[in-house]
Amino acid sequence: MSQVNYLSKVGKWSNPTHIGQLYINGEWVDPSENRTIPVINPAMGETIAEVGLASQKDVQSAILAARQAFDDGVWRSTSPHKRAKLLSKLASKIEDDLNNLAEIETVNNGKTLREAKGDVEEAVKTFRYYAGLATKPTGETFEAEEPFVARVVREPIGVCGQIIPWNYPLLMAAWKLAPALAAGNTCILKPSEITPLTAIRLFELIDEVGFPKGVVNLVNGTGVEAGQPLVESTLVDKIAFTGGTATGKTILEKSVGNLKRVSLELGGKSPNIIFADADYESALDYATFAIFNNAGQVCSAGSRLLVDQKIYDQFIKDLVEVTKKIRVGNGLDPSSEMGSLVSEQQLTKIKNYIEIGKTEGAKLVCGGNRLRTNGLEDGFFIEPTIFVDVKPKSRIAQEEIFGPVLCIIPFETEEEAINIANDSPFGLAAGIFTSDVSKAERVAKAIRAGVTWINTYEQNLIEGPWGGYKESGIGRELGIYGFNEYTEVKQIINTLKVEPTGWFSS
Ligand code: NDP
């Protein structure tokens, strides 16, 4: 198949025959219905691989394998040190494969090689961090009334279905698998059907590490055919999902059958507030980075830029100047600073929002067009786009566009900035740029969001909690918070004096 030739030119794919397969119960297997789906390189608009599609039957096999591996205790009873050792080994294998994984990510997702390499580095850190956490104390004890002694332990939840999106394919797999495995769960990963390649490569490395059979499984396929059966299965104990808010709501509804645990990391429309007293150069630089990094396809993108009226005109002028210089191009070209969008569908969605912005009366001051010149003819490229004088209640200011489209809104007072920032169904992240420390603290406290950055943006720390308020999700990833999301809490009460209660006289 041509995919083998193409992909062996990109990076050093060791065994591309696995591209058409699923990883179930510790083995590469062919999908039962022998159906495939084309994978597109969005920078060229061409098919680069055919990926095997899991049927519901395949998903059931993966669920049964993970169920058995959990119930047999092959993983949860493995000592934390052994679990840590395997996770560390995996981290090292990913690190050794960095360039290869990054190239595969770039040709599948469209992001620049620099961004893809950063993702691989973060994935390595994530596996290392949770390898370390696997061996750390997680329980609690408290002073119980005599003669009782009590302690609280954390135990793995069980079988985890993990459904991830296309914007950070490898990194999202790491964020899901590492804490779940560290805590002793078994996993079934369902990547986005449009960006499955780095997950397949990751599972080749997982296979080399040698986790016990059934502990970690991969089902490629569509949301409805491969994702939903995980959500609906009563043999699955937890669903961890990252993706759009609408899908997150569907998942919540469909998961109630066995009241499974659900954690959701959803969309955002994050405000980035620039006060007039901010360090001007950094504010300008971060305002650009916050929205155009990863072509704006970031849940925490600073997509609403709130700018102090005192510097509004000058700031916009300078921002437009910087933005016009951003080099958009094929992610494999080292000179590209912004890659393509992930798909034609995403391109269409963003173009629609640009039209909506115009009809809503926002002023388009930069970009707005598909790019089709200089080798970009067949790819899904769009100019970095800026709207100014955007009304806070308008659709482009309220809905997640998920692309390189910035909406700038002026404000006059601190109170007004906070009100505009909080006027959103989302609450994932926020940025605050000011040189006034007290103001920064006041605003950070007043904003209803899971992450607030002061004089920085998109600083993502594995040690800290990641997740949103309101419709940006339920639960937290990363840090001890992310680990705890993969555990159940059990209280164990013992008595030092074994005797009848004497409650009933007979
Ligand atoms: P989705 O939320 O639909 O997809 C995310 C994951 O969920 C994919 O693996 C998808 O599978 C799967 N999925 C879809 N439907 C179901 C279902 N019923 N049950 C179980 N799993 C399901 O994102 P889209 O790709 O459709 O993007 C739509 C919008 O979502 C974007 O335009 C963007 O606004 C937002 N988004 C937000 C992200 C974030 O990080 N906040 C990430 C990605 C998207 P498959 O792809 O195979 O259909």
Side-chain angles (χ1 to χ4, degrees), residues 3 13 54 58 85 93 135 165 169 195 207 212 240 258 272 378 429 431 433:
Q3 66 183 10
W13 192 292
D58 298 317
K85 199 172 157 192
K93 281 189 176 289
T135 60
T195 54
D207 188 55
N258 61 337
N272 187 13
D378 300 319
F433 284 81

Side-chain angles (χ1 to χ4, degrees), residues 395-461:
R395 279 188 68 192
I396 58 163
Q398 289 288 320
E399 297 174 18
E400 186 179 48
I401 298 176
F402 221 64
V405 180
L406 182 63
C407 298
I408 305 187
I409 304 170
F411 71 86
E412 284 182 0
T413 65
E414 181 181 323
E415 193 189 2
E416 191 190 2
I418 293 167
N419 287 340
I420 297 171
N422 283 335
D423 182 10
S424 167
F426 300 109
L428 184 54
I432 302 151
F433 284 81
T434 172
S435 51
D436 179 339
V437 178
S438 311
K439 180 159 60 181
E441 289 295 326
R442 279 195 306 273
V443 178
K445 239 179 130 178
I447 287 180
R448 308 272 302 153
V451 187
T452 48
W453 290 290
I454 298 172
N455 293 322
T456 183
Y457 206 95
E458 295 294 10
Q459 201 58 51
N460 196 6
L461 305 176

Side-chain angles (χ1 to χ4, degrees), residues 80-116:
H81 281 284
K82 178 97 188 285
R83 293 207 293 264
K85 199 172 157 192
L86 293 181
L87 289 169
S88 294
K89 205 168 152 191
L90 179 57
S92 299
K93 281 189 176 289
I94 298 170
E95 195 167 42
D96 291 345
D97 205 47
L98 188 145
N99 290 327
N100 187 36
L101 277 163
E103 282 189 28
I104 295 169
E105 197 77 297
T106 289
V107 296
N108 192 174
N109 167 280
K111 65 176 68 191
T112 63
L113 210 43
R114 179 167 70 164
E115 288 164 338

Side-chain angles (χ1 to χ4, degrees), residues 58-69:
D58 298 317
V59 179
Q60 290 312 325
S61 301
I63 293 172
L64 288 175
R67 183 77 261 165
Q68 186 164 359

